[in-house]
Every structure is written in structure tokens, then in C-alpha cells.
Amino acid sequence: MSRRMPLLLSAALATAALGAAPAAHAEPKAPATPAATTAGSQPYASYWYPDTILNWDPATDPDARFNRSRVPLQPRTSDPALKASPNARAGEGRIASLVSFGPTSNNPSQGSADPNYYAFGYWQYVDKLVFWGGSAGEGLILAPNPTVIDAAHRNGVKVYGTVFFPPGAYGGQLQWVRDFVQKSGNRYPVADKLVQAARYYGFDGWFINQETGGGDAGLATEVRNLMQYTKAQSGTDFMWYDAMTTSGSVNWQNALTSANSPFLQDGSKRTSDSMFLNFDWSSSGLNSSRTLARQLGRSEYDLYSGIDTEANGYNTGVDWNSLFPAGKPHTTSLGLYRPEWTWKSATDRADFYAKDARYWVGAKGDPSAVNPSDSWPGLAGYVAESSPITAKPFVTSFNTGQGDFYNSAGTRVATGGWNNLSLQDVPPTYRWVVNSTGSKLTPSVDFTDAYQGGSSLRLTGTLDATNTVRLYETKLPVAATTKLDLVVKTPAAGPTKLKAAVSFTDAPSSFTTIDLGANSGTGWERHSLDLSPYAGRTIAQIALQADGSDPSYDVRIGQVSVYDGAVDTPAAPSGLTVLGASDVTAGSSQSLRLSWTAAPGGNVHHYEVYRRNADGSRTFLGATPNDAYFVGRLDRAGTEDATTLDVEAVSTTYGRSTAASTTVGWTGTPPATGSNLALNRPATASGRCNANEGPAKAVNGSVNGGTGDKWCSLDSSKWLEVDLGSTKSLSTFVVKHAAAGGESASYNTRDFSIQVRSNTTDPWTTVANVTGNTAGTTTHPVTSTARYVRLVVTKPAQNTDPAARIYEFEAWGQ
């Protein structure tokens, strides 16, 4: 293999790229203390140094309750007879994924109003996920966001936080390692805090990455002792990175050797649960690693041979045959470093989904059609799928955990972009496997409509033969009261040409079909199918079958559910309380921290938070499985004195409770001169030039964050839209173009228009039309009322450059 930098050197550079404090020679900075946290401010994921974690107590940390995962780790099933690729193996090599979901500091606890996020959806191939991060300038110990834990656990994937000791050249200090292993009698206090954090926040263990040089054998022994102590005290997992050796020096072995094996297994003592081998492994090194692991009484699959895909993704060269030899058992497991390249390098959401499919299931986007001779066949060609669908009820709305709006039971209750992996459904096990003797339909995740959340499943194409679309591997026993529901939408009333297809464990590859019949209109319609004739059998697969003839077949599937009896109505939460509020704009908008007492009964999937509107409707503010939630922005409607908030429980079968309610008071009057109503509001756009230049950058109130502090688009049709939350009186629009952010004036937008409307069903009205602009900042007085405002760019620059560059789009009014 080609020489690659050690893991932490690569990570240090990545941290700088994410805009964190420079790691080299940085002085340690303590995380925010409770006293420094304002009442209604944004909560963030936790991070510490070894000495500061000793002072952490969830009872006094105001952010702690917002960082708790409430989704337990689900068991998984994997039937070798149902694997998509004939070359994949079940029960052999596994995959660990080291992912940076955001910077170490200022990483929001519960999602945000930006749809641009790494919404990972191939959990079926992953065994462990490491929440990667940490830096010398921010903190060395990083706990995972609850959103990531929730999504991973729902899919049966363990989640680890990171303990990160950088090389001296990148700010590492050997004293930090000594602080880490400090003792108090027979205790290791930092280890006790690692256990407490994992238990309180609900994750599974820690990835230990010790690359600070200068240590000795005594220090190395203490590091091992700390892990062994922790294993004896708790069920906390450890994954060890191949860097520090038993001598105390940092010397990457790229294999399991006598110099590092005690960090995995120390005689009869289990030191760690797995080891991540550095990237420069060889065929002989992996074979000797397997032999040594077995001699130590450990599985070779506890070793995760690393590949670094941060820079080149699926263009990375890998000696696949040494790792996963054809026709032979896997040599070790696989450790992926930074698979979020598929998102970081994407130009827009569609590009991300295409790249992610290429990375995980191969060039054809079909795990059953992986080509082993490809330089990057796709990981589905080596590791068989696993599924967490082993108990009822099972419900999916094909919600990816991000979107441009939010629908609840088919009704649009919020517009604007968002991300929250806590709300992600279990993605399809097989993305995408379609069997047909004729033309194959194209399955896709559709972000233009949804029954629940921000997306749905869509089947399109020429229907000229029976198409069977495999969706989920399951292990669901059928009882006398079991039902299978499908919620679908068709372009016109009439036959859906769609059947539910299920197979059973006694014949897992043979499908039994049940026709859905017709839809009476063009809205979402539920079809409830009785599975009682199959009582006593166990469902092995859930699929869809389209049958008939249609040159332009188009159907959306908004929900699939398998449950017993009736839809369960949960008890209501109680004690809804505003923990604190902070002004976003004094007198007109504020952020809130909310808490409530969880509904009794244990059958709640999540809670939804709404504001009541004067016309009797409600606007969705967010959702969480937790009993606390941060509302990033609540807008005052006109001069109302108070706003009523509702929180309702949604059951595991998506029944809804009555609401717990409270009111939020308003003081003063909205500013007479008006304010920038677009500031930090939900924004969507035609696309983006790269992952870090999404529409949220144009409404963040900043032009000083460098050339990435903008919305950028290369689409043929370029537009940026902002939802102001309710109808507002508008007086002025301000657009800050390329020069306002420090770029060349030749990139200032030349021709553009500004449009408004009050409802999504209204046509757009143009209130400003500009041609021949050369200025870096333009101001556009208007007299208008609207909820939705839109900037349309027709000539993006003074020259032929094709990129639109908008640093801020401001809508002033009240």
C-alpha cells in the first residue's frame, strides 16, 4: 500500500480544515462552564481535557440533558441466504467507521435548521461507528451527539466517543496522557468519568488514540491498566489505535505484533475490545496479525485494518484481496477513516447520494450487482447486510433525517431545511435491488414529498413487466392480529399497480404478494393488509411488487408498517416547562430550552414540538426521542403577548397523544425600525457548490467567515428561498454579493430578481428586478407582505464565471 500519514496527523489537519482552533502549540481551553451558558442558548455536544472532565457532572451541566440518547442498541439479524451480493460474507470481517460529523466545539446537540448534513444511510454494513474529533486547542475527549447515537442504535450499530492525544507537532502534551492515567488509590478517576459519560449519554465506548511521543514503558503500562480497570468496572467498550507501543514510544506497527498486542489482550486480561491497525498494512502483516490474534485467544475480526478515504473516497487504492481474499475467509475486519468524503466532496444532495451509493454498494448502485474486479467494488461486495428489524412494531416513512420541509401524517407543518438524525428511520436494507424480466423501475429517496418527515420512497420508470423491489430483511413473527400497512400516493385516482410482497423464514427467497388495489384520489392513502392467514410464520423480507403496464409509472410510498392489533395511542407527556429563553431579535424572536416529563408506558418513538397559530393551525418546531429540546427560533406573530407551545408523544406505531402545553410570554414591542427577518431562518436553494456552501450561510448574519461563508450555486437555475415563519411586513431587501465577503468584484452578481409570496400555493411576485449590477452590496426598498422570500440569479458574475456567490440575503421588516 502507499504510505499514508498516521491517523492523528491526518485528523489534526482535518480539524483545521473544519475551522477549529489551530492544533499546533495551542493552549488548552476549558469548555464552557454552566455559569457561562445563557438560559435559552444552543446546547452543544460535550468535549473535555483529562483534567476538565473530572469536574463534569450532568447534574450541573445545563447542556447535559440535551445530549442524552434515548434509543437503546437494537439486536440485528443477518441471514446468509438473503445477502444481496453472492461474494459478501456474513459473520466474518466487520466494518468500523470513523466519521467526523462536525467540529469538536459548537456542534449542535439536536440537529439544526441546515439540511446540509452527513445523513448517513448505509448502517446495514457497519458494526461500530466512532464519533471522530478532538483537538489540542478545543478538547481531547469528545462525546457523540445524541442524534448520531439514536440513529446508530436504531440500526444496531455501536457508537464510540474519541479520546485524542495528538503528536507534539500538533499541540500534543505528554502531561495530558499522564493526567489521563492519574490514580486516586486504586481508582482511575478519568476512567470513571468516561464510564459515567457513556452511561449518562447512552453510547457504548471509547476509541483511544494515543499519538503523543515521549512516553516510557511505565506510562504505557498505566494506559493498559486504565483500560483493564474500566473493563472490570463496567461494560464500556474500547477500540485501540495502533500507535503507542509497550515501550511507550509511538511506533505504528501496521499490524498486530508483540509490541502492541497487550493493548488488545494482555495475558488473561482483555485490554480492549478491538484494535484499529494503521493504514500501511501488508498482506504478510495481516496474515501474521490473524495468527497472533488467534494465539491470544482473540478473533482476527477484532482487528480493523485501516484505509484512509478522507482525501480520495472510492478513488483510494486498496489491496482488497489481502484483506478480503476471493473464495477464502476474510483476513481481518475493515476500518474506514472518514467515509463522509462522499458528503464533503459533493456539490449538492443528489451528488452526495450518488457518491454514497458508489462508496457503499458499487458503481451500479445495486448491491447485488457488485463487480469484484472494480478498483473499488463497493463494500456491499464484501460484508453482508445486517438488519435491526427483529421486533414489532416496525414502521418506516423513509425519513433520512434531513429535508427541506417537515410533514406530519401527510400535512405540511413546517417549511425550510433541517437535519436531525434522531428522526431518521431504518433505511432500506437493499439499496437498491430490483428484479424484473423487463424494464427495471428506479427506486429513489424523494425529497419533494413525504408522509412523515422530509422524504419518501418513489418508484418511477417504464412498467412493462413485474418488478420486485426488495426493501428490508426482517425477522418478524406473524400473529393472528398482525397487519401490514402501506401509505401510498399516485398521480391520479385508480389502480396503484402495486402489491406488498413478503417472504417467510421457511422459504426466504419466495415472495407472497397482496394487492393494494386502487387509490381514490391523488393524496396519501393508507392500505391496511391482514396478515393473519400467515400466523405462526416469521417474515424474512419485505418488498414491493409493481405489476401491469404503464409507460410513465410513478408512485410514492410514504410509510410501511408491521404491527399487531390497533395503532397505539400513547399517554401524553406532562410538566412542559420553559427552562430558559434568549433573544434572537429583542421583542420579535427568541430561542428556547424546553423540558417535560416523559409519557409513561415506554411506547413512545419521539415527541413533536409545535407552536399554535392564531388561525388554529400549528407550526412544527422540531422533534426528539428525549425529554428536552432546544428550539432555535420562535417568532412572535405580530404583537401577540404570548405564544402557546404544544408537545405531543408519537407512539412506535405513530399514534398521537393529547398535547402538553405551556405559554411563552413576550415583552416590549417589535423594533419599530424593523429587523432582518431572514436571519437564521430556514433556507433552501437550487443547490450548492460544495458541502460547506449551503443556503444557511446566506442567512447566518456573517460575511467575515472567509470565502466559504456564502451560499454558492453552479446550477443552471439558481435560486435561494427563505421561510420567514409567518407573514411579515417587508420594507427592504439587502443582498451582499462576492465583494462583501472579500472576493473579487468581478464575481458580484450582475442580474437577479427578488420574489415573494405568502403561501406555498401562491404564485411568486417579483418585487425587485436588477440588471447590470456591479456593487458588492445592494439595497432594494419594497412595500410588501410575505412569508416566503426568494432570490433568483440569472447572471451570476460580471464575467462568464458560472457560480452565484451570495454572502447574505436580508429581508428587513417587522
Side-chain angles (χ1 to χ4, degrees):
M1 296 179 65
S2 62
R3 179 70 185 166
R4 295 187 179 88
M5 69 180 72
L7 187 62
L8 203 50
L9 295 179
S10 179
L13 296 177
T15 300
L18 284 168
H25 309 300
E27 292 298 321
K29 298 182 295 183
T33 61
T37 303
T38 56
S41 63
Q42 168 72 63
Y44 295 109
S46 296
Y47 55 97
W48 309 273
Y49 293 93
D51 57 344
T52 62
I53 196 174
L54 294 176
N55 299 319
W56 175 74
D57 183 346
T60 57
D61 178 357
D63 286 1
R65 67 181 303 169
F66 296 89
N67 284 313
R68 302 190 78 176
S69 169
R70 300 295 189 170
V71 179
L73 181 67
Q74 299 300 303
R76 303 211 286 187
T77 185
S78 182
D79 184 347
L82 295 176
K83 62 184 182 181
S85 171
N87 300 308
R89 299 289 182 110
E92 293 187 14
R94 301 181 291 267
I95 295 177
S97 186
L98 277 62
V99 183
S100 174
F101 286 90
T104 297
S105 58
N106 299 321
N107 197 343
S109 299
Q110 297 174 309
S112 71
D114 187 357
N116 180 31
Y117 195 74
Y118 181 55
F120 178 61
Y122 288 93
W123 300 101
Q124 63 269 43
Y125 302 110
V126 176
D127 180 60
K128 298 172 174 48
L129 182 136
V130 176
F131 192 81
W132 183 251
S135 74
E138 296 168 293
L140 308 178
I141 302 171
L142 178 64
N145 288 56
T147 54
V148 174
I149 306 170
D150 288 340
H153 279 187
R154 193 170 284 127
N155 286 277
V157 175
K158 287 187 172 183
V159 180
Y160 295 166
T162 300
V163 179
F164 181 98
F165 296 109
Y170 291 88
Q173 300 177 20
L174 193 61
Q175 184 60 45
W176 284 335
V177 186
R178 295 192 177 105
D179 291 344
F180 182 67
V181 300
Q182 63 184 283
K183 294 187 74 174
S184 175
N186 294 324
R187 295 174 47 248
Y188 288 88
V190 173
D192 292 341
K193 284 296 182 179
L194 294 182
V195 172
Q196 182 186 17
R199 285 177 172 171
Y200 182 83
Y201 288 146
F203 60 97
D204 307 285
W206 295 93
F207 183 95
I208 309 295
N209 188 353
Q210 201 310 83
E211 292 189 77
T212 304
D216 56 21
L219 184 60
T221 298
E222 283 303 299
V223 172
R224 294 200 305 277
N225 288 344
L226 178 145
M227 289 192 286
Q228 292 165 8
Y229 161 87
T230 308
K231 297 299 294 180
Q233 301 296 317
S234 72
T236 303
D237 282 6
F238 286 114
M239 177 178 276
W240 175 259
Y241 173 55
D242 159 33
M244 188 185 209
T245 63
T246 55
S247 70
S249 66
V250 173
N251 187 359
W252 298 274
Q253 302 295 293
N254 304 294
L256 183 68
T257 71
S258 60
N260 63 15
S261 62
F263 291 98
L264 179 71
Q265 186 73 30
D266 192 4
S268 62
K269 296 179 180 178
R270 185 181 181 94
T271 308
S272 63
D273 299 272
S274 53
M275 182 182 290
F276 189 104
L277 302 181
N278 191 48
F279 306 121
D280 288 338
W281 44 264
S282 65
S283 179
S284 60
L286 293 192
N287 284 325
S288 66
S289 297
R290 173 174 57 191
T291 299
L292 180 54
R294 290 176 175 178
Q295 289 172 353
L296 295 170
R298 298 293 293 273
S299 168
E300 61 266 42
Y301 303 129
D302 291 341
L303 306 176
Y304 290 79
S305 301
I307 61 174
D308 182 356
T309 67
E310 179 184 14
N312 295 309
Y314 47 69
N315 299 310
T316 304
V318 179
D319 181 4
W320 294 110
N321 195 55
S322 292
L323 183 60
F324 299 138
K328 298 179 182 178
H330 293 164
T331 311
T332 68
S333 292
L334 168 64
L336 296 174
Y337 182 66
R338 309 298 295 278
E340 79 276 10
W341 171 89
T342 58
W343 171 65
K344 286 286 187 181
S345 66
T347 56
D348 55 26
R349 184 188 290 144
D351 189 35
F352 160 54
Y353 272 74
K355 285 183 171 178
D356 221 30
R358 174 72 181 85
Y359 190 103
W360 290 95
V361 302
K364 293 185 177 179
D366 178 348
S368 69
V370 168
N371 184 354
S373 64
D374 287 348
S375 59
W376 185 283
L379 302 177
Y382 299 113
V383 177
E385 301 82 1
S386 294
S387 171
I389 308 169
T390 61
K392 295 172 291 183
F394 165 64
V395 180
T396 177
S397 300
F398 305 98
N399 182 9
T400 65
Q402 63 179 172
D404 302 320
F405 56 84
Y406 195 90
N407 282 6
S408 181
T411 299
R412 182 128 329 161
V413 291
T415 58
W418 61 277
N419 72 79
N420 187 346
L421 289 185
S422 288
L423 304 183
Q424 185 187 69
D425 291 320
V426 175
T429 313
Y430 307 105
R431 295 177 60 182
W432 302 100
V433 176
V434 181
N435 297 315
S436 176
T437 57
S439 301
K440 287 188 177 183
L441 296 176
T442 300
S444 63
V445 178
D446 177 37
F447 289 95
T448 67
D449 202 354
Y451 181 72
Q452 184 72 33
S455 52
S456 58
L457 172 64
R458 190 175 188 180
L459 302 180
T460 57
T462 300
L463 180 61
D464 54 20
T466 299
N467 273 250
T468 301
V469 183
R470 292 175 64 188
L471 292 179
Y472 290 99
E473 180 180 352
T474 68
K475 197 171 183 181
L476 299 176
V478 180
T481 60
T482 302
K483 296 182 179 68
L484 169 60
D485 285 9
L486 282 87
V487 179
V488 299
K489 177 181 277 192
T490 53
T496 61
K497 301 184 178 69
L498 194 65
K499 300 175 182 178
V502 294
S503 72
F504 300 97
T505 52
D506 51 5
S509 299
S510 177
F511 285 103
T512 298
T513 60
I514 308 172
D515 200 324
L516 266 65
N519 268 14
S520 61
T522 58
W524 290 109
E525 296 189 24
R526 181 176 295 273
H527 300 260
S528 189
L529 309 176
D530 179 15
L531 295 186
S532 63
Y534 312 103
R537 302 175 77 182
T538 299
I539 300 172
Q541 289 191 83
I542 298 174
L544 297 172
Q545 193 174 94
D547 198 5
S549 178
D550 190 332
S552 55
Y553 188 69
D554 188 354
V555 62
R556 289 179 173 87
I557 298 91
Q559 194 171 83
V560 176
S561 53
V562 181
Y563 61 100
D564 293 339
V567 170
D568 194 12
T569 300
S574 59
L576 176 59
T577 302
V578 178
L579 297 176
S582 297
D583 282 338
V584 176
T585 302
S588 61
S589 61
Q590 55 188 311
S591 58
L592 307 169
R593 291 184 174 210
L594 305 177
S595 72
W596 54 88
T597 300
N603 61 340
V604 174
H605 183 272
H606 67 270
Y607 299 90
E608 294 186 349
V609 184
Y610 292 87
R611 65 156 293 153
R612 292 189 201 172
N613 302 317
D615 62 2
S617 65
R618 298 194 304 174
T619 299
F620 177 78
L621 299 177
T624 178
N626 201 353
D627 58 7
Y629 187 71
F630 172 73
V631 176
R633 179 163 174 159
L634 175 70
D635 286 318
R636 186 177 190 175
T639 58
E640 65 180 352
D641 294 325
T643 302
T644 298
L645 302 182
D646 291 341
V647 172
E648 63 184 27
V650 179
S651 76
T652 51
T653 51
Y654 279 72
R656 295 172 183 276
S657 75
T658 56
S661 301
T662 192
T663 57
V664 177
W666 297 96
T667 58
T669 59
T673 57
S675 58
N676 176 15
L677 303 174
L679 181 64
N680 294 322
R681 290 300 307 169
T684 53
S686 53
R688 68 200 73 205
C689 295
N690 63 55
N692 293 320
E693 295 178 335
K697 291 292 184 68
V699 292
N700 67 356
S702 168
V703 297
N704 300 317
T707 57
D709 193 10
K710 66 176 180 288
W711 168 64
C712 178
S713 174
L714 287 164
D715 297 87
S716 56
S717 174
K718 303 174 179 67
W719 55 265
L720 169 71
E721 181 179 334
V722 183
D723 177 7
L724 304 181
S726 61
T727 300
K728 306 289 187 180
S729 296
L730 302 173
S731 59
T732 306
F733 285 93
V734 178
V735 185
K736 297 182 179 179
H737 307 274
E743 295 193 71
S744 169
S746 64
Y747 295 144
N748 287 338
T749 319
R750 182 177 177 84
D751 301 341
F752 60 94
S753 61
I754 298 172
Q755 302 172 339
V756 300
R757 65 182 179 183
S758 294
N759 298 289
T760 56
T761 55
D762 294 341
W764 289 102
T765 299
T766 300
V767 294
N769 192 53
V770 179
T771 58
N773 171 62
T774 60
T777 299
T778 57
T779 302
H780 313 276
V782 300
T783 301
S784 182
T785 57
R787 173 174 174 174
Y788 305 96
V789 298
R790 182 179 174 103
L791 176 69
V792 179
V793 175
T794 49
K795 187 170 177 55
Q798 307 297 305
N799 50 31
T800 58
D801 190 276
R805 298 170 173 85
I806 303 297
Y807 278 79
E808 283 296 303
F809 179 42
E810 301 175 355
W812 288 78
Q814 53 187 316

